Amino acid sequence: MQTIDLEAEGLRHLNATLHAQSQETNQTAWEVINPRGSHAIACGLDAPIEVAVKGSTGYYCAGMNKQATVRVHGSAGPGVAENMMSGMVVIDGDASQYAGATGHGGTLVIKGNASSRCGISMKGIDIVVHGNVGHMSAFMAQSGNLVVCGDAGDALGDSIYEARLFVRGSVKSLGADCIEKEMRPEHLEILADLLEKGDCDAKPEEFKRYGSARKLYNFNIDNAY
Amino acid sequence: MKDIKQDGPPRTEPIQSATFTQSINAEIRRAAATGIYDIRGGGAKRKVPHFDDLLFLGASMSRYPLEGYREKCETSVTLGTRFAANPIELDTPITIAGMSFGALSGPAKEALGRGATLAGTSTTTGDGGMTPEERGHSNKLVYQYLPSRYGMNPDDLRKADAIEVVVGQGAKPGGGGMLLGQKISDRVAEMRNLPKGIDQRSPCRHPDWTGPDDLEIKILELREITAWKVPIYIKVGGARPYFDTTLAVKAGADVVVLDGMQGGTAATQDVFIEHVGQPILACIREAVRALQDLGMHREVQLIVSGGVRTGADVAKCMALGADAVAIGTAALIALGDNDPRWEDEYQKLGTTAGAYDDWHEGQDPAGITTQDPELMSRFDPIEGGRRLNNYLKVMTLEAQTIARACGKNHLHNLEPEDLCALTMEAAAMAKIPLAGTDWYPGKPGSSY
Ligand SMILES: Cc1cc2nc3c(=O)[nH]c(=O)nc-3n(C[C@H](O)[C@H](O)[C@H](O)COP(=O)(O)O)c2cc1C
């Protein structure tokens, strides 16, 4: 296990060291101590390494991640795992706004709650939230899956495209063009897999599925307001 | 107008209204019939105070000119000297503005890269991401980071020579974009992770930051991911140039890109294009003043755009304090957009060469703003690149001609004192004395 003290060694040293890890690196286990809410921790990684951040992070932790597994032993600030491409990011605590924004792939697991705009503009990422998500989550979500084991706030899935949303608890309100959809066997299968990946013991049958009514797909003046 | 003989008793001539003009009335009828606002490409078509309202004074008794052809007049510019390890060095200060793949065809993007590379300047991606053709043919490629994040990925980010965070565009400050389903080919759809044939909305706000304070952190992340190597530009529409420039510098920009209201767009509501934003002439001095107040003029470079067409326009931008310019519409015209050789086809589309602006419909006879394979095949990217290079060379030579006449051995040495204004409006907006006077409206110390 390699340990980097962020406070002592600085952000540039931390990220440059992690970026220098190659596909074949045998230094696969990393620990970051004293993160103290710093921004851009472990962003832009692109190697099969595991990074444990021992504390809470600021903005954009694990942003644009590829391949790596990043675990935050604390809570994460805004934009955690934004635009993630692949790999896995796990937040033990809560996540602030825009968690997993525009993510193209990989899995983001939030053990606590996520704030507003979780999964905004998501483009293929899978997000599993053990708690609740705030308002405007999955806004303009294009593809991928958002699993919410708790409740969802206002305007869930507004202007959604092809992403799938699974919510176990209540949904305060659905956004424009987002509707409840039939849960078919293939969806239960996808959900079971996501729950397992997300280390979550909820049952797929307890969830409802939401997605796009596809009424906003082509410009129509009657939809404008 | 000459008097015309009237038959019968004297009567009032039919008079067309200056308020309800024929084109306004036609638009009212169109709106009444369809219930849809007009969406189009291009920039503002109305007349606004512009570079044509400024003139250079030239050398005389008190100024010493440089010899037209033989004396050196430098044109190079370095962009991104504030924080980036690898600033961008260009031979000419005329850059190619960001235009999306999707709005433009793959071969058109390739031609922009070819032309820019031949001329020693940079080109810019756009909404929809970076294509391999474009990267391959562009020696210096600026990668746009847009609200939609269509096609955004860290690999392309790291292939870029600079990153441009797009906050706004002159044609539509405060607006997003829409690529209509007609132009969503398999390739465009795949790059944007969306189904084929559906309209693709580009949001007007970034998904993961809201103001200058978090933009500063976003820029930190982009720099960390690209190891502080490449310059980061911030592009803003011409709205509140003094404050926008100040905040862009605060957020950590290496370069500010300022796009005035005449700037082109691929597709937006006509009402937006014509009625939101300030003309570039009114923006440049305010942006320069912001940089000067921060002690950052020339430290953070300023690129201006919106209706730049000629070497004279370029020289005027430089004299007003810009470091470089960007061109969009003019580059497309150089490639062959709106060329009268396609007049028959423009007529069939209900328009005429020079006025064609339904770029969003994907039926461009010149094969530039389309994804239709048949139309695209009309356009030769090698010839297009050659034409763009020629045009960039001519503009650079024209700007040098003016600079030499003003006694300047670098385009950047042009200064406001080299200019006069033809109209009160231009004098006020550009803070340049009205021709024949030493005064402009609002000049400190004057009472008007
Ligand atoms: C066809 C077309 C597509 C454009 N696409 C983008 C874009 O994707 N992103 C962007 O920031 N600006 C875009 N623009 C605006 C240009 O970057 C630039 O600001 C503008 O064209 C400059 O004004 P000019 O056309 O008068 O030279 C586009 C412009 C045109 C004409």
Side-chain angles (χ1 to χ4, degrees):
Chain A
M1 166 87 74
Q2 317 287 312
T3 300
I4 298 181
D5 182 341
L6 183 59
E7 213 178 4
E9 300 182 76
L11 183 68
R12 188 76 286 266
H13 171 79
L14 166 70
N15 285 328
T17 308
L18 296 177
H19 292 169
Q21 302 309 309
S22 68
Q23 290 302 313
E24 297 81 31
T25 181
N26 51 17
Q27 297 181 325
T28 55
W30 296 81
E31 180 184 67
V32 181
I33 59 169
N34 289 319
R36 293 172 173 253
S38 299
H39 307 308
I41 292 176
C43 60
L45 303 190
D46 189 6
I49 57 175
E50 292 191 13
V51 181
V53 183
K54 294 302 186 70
S56 293
T57 59
Y59 279 64
Y60 310 129
C61 175
M64 302 193 202
N65 186 57
K66 281 179 84 180
Q67 302 189 66
T69 298
V70 178
R71 187 170 193 129
V72 177
H73 296 260
S75 291
V80 63
E82 65 84 20
N83 215 89
M84 172 152 67
M85 304 301 293
S86 63
M88 175 120 176
V89 175
V90 182
I91 312 302
D92 281 349
D94 298 321
S96 184
Q97 306 173 78
Y98 345 115
T102 76
H104 284 67
T107 309
L108 168 63
V109 180
I110 297 161
K111 297 275 175 99
N113 302 308
S115 180
S116 61
R117 297 183 168 82
C118 179
I120 182 172
S121 248
M122 54 195 274
K123 298 168 174 29
I125 189 176
D126 291 328
I127 305 177
V128 181
V129 184
H130 287 220
N132 308 321
V133 296
H135 65 266
M136 295 298 276
S137 286
F139 176 66
M140 288 183 86
Q142 295 178 211
S143 57
N145 300 287
L146 171 64
V147 180
V148 182
C149 300
D151 304 329
D154 265 321
L156 177 72
D158 195 286
S159 307
I160 187 172
Y161 292 97
E162 294 294 295
R164 295 187 203 94
L165 313 180
F166 301 100
V167 183
R168 183 162 69 159
S170 67
V171 173
K172 189 149 183 226
S173 68
L174 290 172
D177 212 32
C178 185
I179 52 169
E180 189 181 336
K181 295 195 152 183
E182 185 196 353
M183 183 80 94
R184 294 194 299 267
E186 71 262 30
H187 301 123
L188 290 171
E189 215 170 289
I190 293 169
L191 183 53
D193 185 47
L194 289 166
L195 289 167
E196 195 189 322
K197 265 205 244 169
D199 194 19
C200 190
D201 52 18
K203 310 239 166 341
E205 296 74 23
E206 299 163 355
F207 287 76
K208 284 182 178 164
R209 179 169 81 98
Y210 304 88
S212 181
R214 303 192 179 100
K215 293 212 170 102
L216 297 179
Y217 274 17
N218 288 103
F219 182 74
N220 178 343
I221 196 62
D222 296 331
N223 291 328
Y225 65 107
Chain B
M1 256 223 312
K2 76 175 177 0
D3 273 349
I4 32 174
K5 180 170 162 287
Q6 291 181 338
D7 296 327
R11 57 183 164 79
T12 310
E13 274 293 288
I15 300 173
Q16 294 287 352
S17 169
T19 304
F20 289 90
T21 60
Q22 295 189 13
S23 60
I24 289 278
N25 293 352
E27 184 50 26
I28 292 173
R29 285 187 288 272
R30 196 202 59 77
T34 64
I36 299 177
Y37 44 47
D38 184 30
I39 294 183
R40 67 172 178 89
K45 293 187 172 182
R46 64 156 75 217
K47 189 166 168 52
V48 294
H50 198 35
F51 300 124
D52 291 337
D53 301 316
L54 299 180
L55 293 176
F56 281 97
L57 300 174
S60 55
M61 287 295 281
S62 65
R63 295 283 190 286
Y64 190 73
L66 299 185
E67 179 54 49
Y69 298 101
R70 304 192 52 82
E71 273 185 290
K72 206 170 191 164
C73 178
E74 295 275 355
T75 61
S76 62
V77 58
T78 306
L79 301 169
T81 49
R82 185 183 183 193
F83 290 121
N86 306 331
I88 292 211
E89 298 192 8
L90 304 177
D91 298 338
T92 170
I94 309 163
T95 65
I96 306 300
M99 292 184 271
S100 61
F101 169 68
L104 299 188
S105 69
K109 288 296 282 176
E110 178 184 328
L112 293 174
R114 285 176 180 274
T117 300
L118 286 170
T121 189
S122 62
T123 183
T124 312
T125 65
D127 217 352
M130 183 191 283
T131 66
E133 297 99 301
E134 184 178 27
R135 176 61 278 188
H137 291 288
S138 309
N139 184 16
K140 294 271 185 284
L141 183 60
V142 183
Y143 187 46
Q144 283 200 332
Y145 190 71
L146 294 121
S148 73
R149 309 278 164 88
Y150 287 137
M152 211 320 280
N153 68 75
D155 299 329
D156 288 346
L157 195 71
R158 289 187 175 112
K159 282 185 206 144
D161 299 294
I163 298 166
E164 181 169 302
V165 178
V166 179
V167 175
Q169 244 179 277
K172 45 182 175 181
M178 168 111 81
L179 193 61
L180 293 190
Q182 294 95 301
K183 288 178 81 170
I184 312 300
S185 64
D186 286 329
R187 183 172 181 202
V188 174
E190 196 194 319
M191 276 178 72
R192 298 179 182 222
N193 312 76
L194 280 170
K196 188 180 171 182
I198 72 170
D199 298 342
Q200 303 195 344
R201 289 157 283 168
S202 295
C204 62
R205 294 199 303 257
H206 280 260
D208 57 357
W209 59 268
T210 46
D213 295 327
D214 32 0
L215 175 54
E216 187 173 347
I217 307 171
K218 173 50 77 177
I219 287 178
L220 169 72
E221 182 203 12
L222 294 171
R223 289 203 195 274
E224 281 293 317
I225 291 176
T226 53
W228 293 76
K229 285 191 190 139
V230 300
I232 298 195
Y233 303 4
I234 295 180
K235 176 174 179 175
V236 292
R240 296 169 188 82
Y242 182 85
F243 297 107
D244 291 339
T245 304
T246 304
L247 292 171
V249 172
K250 180 215 170 285
D254 291 301
V255 173
V256 176
V257 182
L258 181 62
D259 189 27
M261 63 104 56
Q262 304 99 315
T265 174
T268 293
Q269 298 92 330
D270 174 80
V271 71
F272 215 142
I273 299 176
E274 295 288 358
H275 297 277
V276 185
Q278 299 203 56
I280 191 63
L281 189 69
C283 296
I284 302 177
R285 290 300 290 279
E286 284 298 278
V288 171
R289 185 167 69 87
L291 293 171
Q292 286 167 337
D293 286 354
L294 295 166
M296 284 289 181
H297 189 218
R298 308 288 184 211
E299 195 77 24
V300 167
Q301 288 79 31
L302 177 67
I303 303 179
V304 301
S305 60
V308 173
R309 307 149 300 174
T310 63
D313 290 351
V314 175
K316 289 169 189 173
C317 292
M318 301 283 130
L320 295 174
D323 296 273
V325 305
I327 56 167
T329 306
L332 298 187
I333 294 170
L335 296 187
D337 169 68
N338 266 294
D339 196 311
R341 66 192 277 223
W342 305 108
E343 183 59 23
D344 289 351
E345 297 189 43
Y346 290 127
Q347 294 282 339
K348 280 187 214 139
L349 294 171
T351 183
T352 184
Y356 176 64
D357 58 14
D358 285 328
W359 296 341
H360 56 291
E361 290 175 354
Q363 296 172 345
D364 183 359
I368 294 169
T369 57
T370 181
Q371 301 297 324
D372 178 300
E374 200 277 313
L375 293 171
M376 263 159 66
S377 69
R378 296 179 178 186
F379 177 78
D380 174 0
I382 298 174
E383 170 65 4
R386 195 186 61 77
R387 291 176 57 92
L388 179 60
N389 174 40
N390 281 341
Y391 171 57
L392 289 168
K393 287 251 153 76
V394 169
M395 276 208 286
T396 308
L397 285 168
E398 287 175 343
Q400 282 173 303
T401 302
I402 287 172
R404 286 197 186 95
C406 296
K408 305 293 167 25
N409 65 4
H410 197 297
L411 294 184
H412 288 158
N413 295 344
L414 286 164
E415 54 196 336
E417 289 72 18
D418 290 318
L419 294 167
C420 68
L422 286 173
T423 65
M424 292 278 260
E425 288 80 4
M429 291 180 190
K431 300 179 179 62
I432 294 294
L434 188 64
T437 77
D438 63 356
W439 173 83
Y440 58 83
K443 183 177 178 182
S446 75
S447 47
Y448 295 98

